[in-house]
Every structure is written in C-alpha cells, then in structure tokens.
Amino acid sequence: MTLSIVITFLVFAFLRMPLAFALGLASLVGLFVGDMDFSVMPQRMMHSIDNFPLMAIPLFMLAGELMVAAGILQRLVDFANSLIGRVHGGLAHVAILAGMVLAAVSGAAVASASALGSSLVPSMREKYGTGYSSAVVASAANLGAIIPPSNAMIVYALMAGSSVSVGGLFMAGVVPGIILAVGFMGLASFISAKRRYPLTGGSLGLKHVLVQTWRALPILLMPIVVVGGIVAGAFTATEGAAIAVVYAIFMGFFVTRKLRLSDIPKAMFNAAVTAAMVGALIAFASTMTFAFTIDLVPIQLANWLQDFTSDPQVFLLLVMGLLILVGMFIESNAAYIMLVPLLAPIALAYGIDPLLFGFLFVMNLVVGMMTPPVGVLLFVMCGISNINLSELMKSAWPFIVFQYAVLAACFLFPGIVTWLPRALGY
C-alpha cells in the first residue's frame, strides 16, 4: 500500500499536478490497494482540519494584508530609512528591517515577498539593479518563517502533536532570526561597498529620527503585543492572530487613515486563498499519513534508522540532508504534513530536544524556499521584478550560502536555538 501511494504521488507531482490533489489521488490509490473503505478518506480529512490552532494562519495572513493596504509598510520604510538610509547598502538595510517587522505580523515568507517586492523593488532597482534588489527582498521575506509568529512553526507544532508548543517554537526562532537579519545587513553593506553603489537616504538627523520613530511606534508595538501575549500565556496563537487583525484594522482606520472598507474584502479573499491551500494539503495528506500508520511505516522507519545509527547527531544530519533535497523540490507545507508525523517521534526516541529538532526542520525547509530549482520565493520575485531566474541567482547566492551557514551553526551549537525558550520556561 505504501509503495503504491509513493509512486502515485511522485507521478502526479512530476506531471505538475497541484500537490494537494496529488496527495489526495495517491491516498485514494492507497486505500484501493489496501482494500480499505473509501469512507475513511472524508472522515480523516474532516478530522484533520477541524482544528482551532489552524485558524491562526489565515488570521495572521489577513493582518499582514490589512497592514499593507493601510499604508503601514510605508511608515516602516520611512522609519528604517531615517536610521540607516545613509550607509552603504542603505536601501537594502531598509528592506531587511521592514522585512523583520512585517515577518513579526504576517508570519509568511511569500506574503512578505509580495508586499516588500511591490513596494521596494521599483525604488531599489534604480540604485542597485534588478537582480540585487530582488535578491535582498527575497532574503528579507524569508525571515517571515523564522521570526515569530511563523505560520510554518504553527503547522509543524500541529503535526508534531504535544511534544512541542507553538510558543516554544516561536521563541526558538528569535535569536537565529536576529542573526540572519544582522548577517543580511552585513552582506548588503559589503556588496554595496564593493560594487560602489551610491548612498541613499537623507542625512542623519536626530529630529528626523524622532519624528519617524514616533510615527512608526504604534506599528513597532504590534509584534510586541501579539508575540509577547502568546509567550506570556495571556492568549493562544490563534487568539493572538485575531488580536493582530483587530490591531491592523484600528491602525488603518484611525492612525494611518488609509484603510478603506473596500480594501477589506480583497484582504480577506487573499487570506482565504492561503488558508484554503494549506487546509487542502493538510486534509488530503491526513489520509496518506493514516495509510502509512496502518502499514506500520513509522515503526519500520524508526527501526531501520536505529539499526543504521544509534548516534542522534548522525540521525539529525541524515534528516537535514533529506530536508535540503525535499525543500528544493516540494512545497514546504506539503513537506511538513508528510514528514513531521514520521520523523518527529523518531527524533524523540533518539532523545533529541523537540524544540531543536522542530526549529532545524523548519529552517531547512525555509532555506529551501530560496534554493533552486523550485525555490518558491525565487519565482515570486522573478514574477514581481520581471527578471529570469539565472539573473536573480547571480545576486542571491551569497544570501543563500549565509542561511546555510546559520543553519549549520544552529546544528553545531544548539544553545543558539534553545537558550531563549528554556529561559522562558519552555
């Protein structure tokens, strides 16, 4: 049964069928081969998506869409430009800082890439060229799945069960996220100075900085309120996402005064499309996971790995190598849904810290979003900037290499990941 599912899924995936439907058809074939009642499929699908934590994903997406419609992103750009716009790579730094703050609201890399790309690439390409500008924006957007709140971490925690909490995973991403952002800025400064890109932004003035800080302060408080409330246990991730939506609406109507009632249906539609895509993946994959469980695949895989190696570090390296390959070819949400139920219990059996394993799992797939041949962020930026992939990769590869370097550092020095969540009691 398992073999028929895998072969069917690979055939349909290589035929470029949407992965959700490829999962569904593969599951049907598996049920047929296993002579199982087809009524299992709708039952498993409904059970898998009838889950309160999943509501956080469309709500965080909606908050991000509302912030963009409300002109909040422009205030972030003005604030960042007042601080660092006059250094080498100033506009690139502005994009990275804006990406950090947007990441702390939307929780999704693709949404951040769309917002940042449409807002910043037109002005950046005049100073830096299209390839470099698009590479910087893609890197900044990739912070969305690392810096809390993260939709990827919500999906991982849901699939991993009670072994790891959403709040703990959120905190595990803080220090690596800051390291990534600072490293991106260092790369931007080095490349800009080496290529002698012109300085951007006005001269640094205390009054100007204070004015822009005051204008951006309500926006900068939003991630603190939302993420801080989740970590403190004041509300759940789903409730925090709902608060983020209300906060964004309040900001749009009463602070920036650029949000219109006519903007809300479009924002809700975009958030609903994302939620439907993730929901379909989870629903169809749940039947596949059920079939694997009936076929004892998790137990057989665990026994094979433990026979192959008893060293937890070797197991982690094997999983990371697998995820690098998976991230290059398979959409990340599909990878979480298919692989987390199989691999997370085995990691627990090896005695690996579930927070460390969860973060490394997520970051592997996050970096895969910028890695050819199927790096989804690369294709998003190619579409926004109207350039080809080879031109984008000429400028993107230093940022990709740096992300892999940070991933390796988190593997070698687990304290980078686990220190903050452990200090907070996770």
Side-chain angles (χ1 to χ4, degrees):
M1 182 167 59
T2 297
L3 183 61
S4 64
I5 291 174
V6 172
I7 292 174
T8 305
F9 171 73
L10 291 176
V11 168
F12 285 123
F14 280 115
L15 291 174
R16 297 188 178 275
M17 177 180 286
L19 291 181
F21 299 119
L23 288 169
L25 287 173
S27 300
L28 276 176
V29 170
L31 293 177
F32 175 77
V33 171
D35 196 24
M36 298 175 66
D37 191 340
F38 282 175
S39 65
V40 169
M41 190 168 188
Q43 292 171 5
R44 299 301 304 180
M45 290 173 65
M46 189 61 196
H47 177 74
S48 64
I49 60 174
D50 185 17
N51 200 303
F52 182 68
L54 278 180
M55 283 296 298
I57 295 175
L59 288 172
F60 276 127
M61 292 294 298
L62 179 57
E65 294 282 347
L66 291 170
M67 286 188 71
V68 173
I72 292 173
L73 182 59
Q74 187 56 50
R75 287 203 179 194
L76 291 178
V77 170
D78 293 341
F79 166 69
N81 204 31
S82 70
L83 290 177
I84 52 176
R86 196 61 185 169
V87 300
H88 279 294
L91 268 180
H93 291 177
V94 168
I96 294 164
L97 275 182
M100 284 184 68
V101 180
L102 196 59
V105 177
S106 72
V110 174
S112 297
S114 300
L116 292 171
S118 58
S119 302
L120 295 176
V121 168
S123 57
M124 290 177 67
R125 73 191 346 155
E126 296 177 6
K127 304 291 184 180
Y128 303 145
T130 304
Y132 177 67
S133 302
S134 301
V136 170
V137 169
S139 303
N142 222 19
L143 296 171
I146 298 296
I147 294 178
S150 162
N151 290 338
M153 292 178 180
I154 292 172
V155 174
Y156 179 92
L158 175 67
M159 303 310 297
S162 60
S163 64
V164 65
S165 69
V166 173
L169 270 180
F170 280 0
M171 291 301 96
V174 171
V175 175
I178 293 173
I179 293 172
L180 282 169
V182 172
F184 289 159
M185 289 182 181
L187 274 174
S189 292
F190 175 77
I191 294 171
S192 299
K194 184 177 180 181
R195 298 181 182 178
R196 297 183 180 180
Y197 288 138
L199 295 176
T200 59
S203 57
L204 182 65
L206 180 60
K207 181 179 179 181
H208 181 57
V209 171
L210 291 176
V211 169
Q212 295 302 330
T213 302
W214 178 253
R215 292 181 73 242
L217 185 60
I219 304 161
L220 298 174
L221 288 175
M222 183 178 180
I224 297 174
V225 171
V226 174
V227 179
I230 295 171
V231 173
F235 39 77
T236 65
T238 305
E239 293 163 346
I243 290 171
V245 172
V246 175
Y247 199 115
I249 291 174
F250 176 82
M251 290 287 298
F253 281 128
F254 300 107
V255 179
T256 64
R257 298 181 181 180
K258 291 186 177 181
L259 186 64
R260 300 289 179 265
L261 286 174
S262 58
D263 296 324
I264 295 179
K266 180 181 178 182
M268 294 180 69
F269 176 80
N270 291 338
V273 168
T274 303
M277 179 182 68
V278 176
L281 282 167
I282 292 174
F284 284 122
S286 65
T287 309
M288 178 184 288
T289 304
F290 175 76
F292 285 166
T293 304
I294 295 297
D295 238 5
L296 303 179
V297 172
I299 296 174
Q300 294 173 7
L301 180 61
N303 291 338
W304 180 82
L305 285 169
Q306 288 169 345
D307 289 341
F308 181 80
T309 178
S310 59
D311 189 337
Q313 298 297 96
V314 175
F315 166 75
L316 262 181
L317 282 175
L318 289 173
V319 171
M320 290 172 68
L322 169 67
L323 292 176
I324 287 172
L325 292 174
V326 168
M328 290 181 183
F329 295 97
I330 296 179
E331 198 274 332
S332 57
N333 281 314
Y336 295 127
I337 294 159
M338 288 188 294
L339 297 178
V340 172
L342 295 177
L343 297 175
I346 300 175
L348 282 176
Y350 272 97
I352 297 171
D353 188 323
L355 278 176
L356 175 64
F357 183 78
F359 175 80
L360 292 176
F361 198 109
V362 170
M363 189 167 176
N364 265 277
L365 294 177
V366 166
V367 180
M369 295 177 72
M370 274 194 70
T371 307
V374 195
V376 63
L377 278 181
L378 299 178
F379 287 102
V380 169
M381 291 311 303
C382 285
I384 292 173
S385 305
N386 196 25
I387 59 172
N388 57 51
L389 183 60
S390 60
E391 183 181 355
L392 176 56
M393 282 305 301
K394 290 177 184 177
S395 297
W397 70 263
F399 296 94
I400 298 172
V401 170
F402 179 72
Q403 290 177 76
Y404 278 115
V406 173
L407 177 62
C410 291
F411 168 74
L412 295 172
F413 306 101
I416 296 173
V417 176
T418 59
W419 169 77
L420 183 58
R422 295 297 177 231
L424 295 172
Y426 288 102

